Amino acid sequence: MLEHIPEWLGASLRNVRAGAEHLTIVNSALGNAYVPIVLSSPAFGDWAELPVRFTADGAGVSPPLVWDAVPPGTQSLALIVEDADSPTPAPLVHAIVWGMAPDTGRIAEGAIVEGGATGEIGRNSYLAQGWLAPDPPSGHGEHRYVFQLFALDVAAEDLGDAPGRGAVLNAMQGNVIGAGMLTGLYARGEVVDAPVGEGGAPLPV
């Protein structure tokens, strides 16, 4: 949908962004004493450009993800992918996977579709069940697509078919013991330059 916004309008909205402070992983209701989980993808690096294959300009399939050991006591895992730079009041939700087993360890390429991944596939911001391929407006600049993995110390609650962000956030409150984050960058029709800090390290979200 956003790919159909005219470039002149995208450029005029360049400074209108949801903001990283509204991402799920920094929501104060979840706490902040997380054991870190290393979340990565064999298809792109952290703070690197998302390959076109995973966007609305390509095949639009979800990227592969892998992660290392989760904290002791983990009983279930959840994944939420959000666009921190969408021209909307809150980040657009691009994917939700709820209720993964603690030993899952990976999500295969293209698996975030109804019935595809291990766990319940949630509802994205376009109210569809599955992966919402990134489609930033032309002229709007670089977008940060933030993959957030959460380890919970409780078994996954039954949230019904295709749970949305609100239901998942409520179910996670007070139960998050570990979290990992991976950021992919994408800009339609523009060259992406990963932001770097002193010594060449990526800047935090």
Side-chain angles (χ1 to χ4, degrees):
M1 182 181 294
L2 295 182
E3 72 268 26
H4 301 302
I5 291 178
E7 185 172 358
W8 65 265
L9 181 55
S12 70
L13 295 172
R14 200 174 181 96
N15 294 324
V16 178
R17 296 173 182 265
E21 67 272 17
H22 298 301
L23 292 169
T24 299
I25 201 166
V26 295
N27 191 301
S28 60
L30 300 182
N32 55 16
Y34 305 144
V35 174
I37 301 171
V38 178
L39 175 64
S40 62
S41 173
F44 65 95
D46 193 20
W47 286 94
E49 185 172 10
L50 272 174
V52 173
R53 173 173 175 75
F54 306 119
T55 75
D57 295 321
V61 296
S62 60
L65 300 170
V66 295
W67 52 88
D68 65 0
V70 297
T74 299
Q75 295 191 43
S76 63
L77 300 167
L79 175 77
I80 298 179
V81 185
E82 295 173 302
D83 178 2
D85 296 295
S86 57
T88 51
L92 281 183
V93 176
H94 283 261
I96 292 175
V97 184
W98 173 251
M100 292 182 287
D103 60 352
T104 302
R106 64 188 294 272
I107 296 176
E109 179 177 317
I112 304 181
V113 293
E114 186 175 357
T118 300
E120 179 67 33
I121 304 299
R123 188 173 65 251
N124 60 45
S125 284
Y126 286 5
L127 305 181
Q129 190 175 6
W131 171 249
L132 174 61
D135 62 343
S138 297
H140 197 250
E142 179 181 282
H143 281 221
R144 294 164 291 175
Y145 295 92
V146 186
F147 298 73
Q148 304 154 87
L149 181 71
F150 300 94
L152 311 178
D153 61 2
V154 293
E157 181 182 344
D158 183 3
L159 301 180
D161 294 334
R165 181 185 185 274
V168 170
L169 181 61
N170 287 339
M172 290 198 302
Q173 289 184 23
N175 299 313
V176 178
I177 58 174
M181 185 172 67
L182 170 68
T183 302
L185 309 176
Y186 192 68
R188 177 167 280 115
E190 301 180 38
V191 176
V192 167
D193 291 317
V196 294
E198 185 177 353
L203 293 174
V205 171

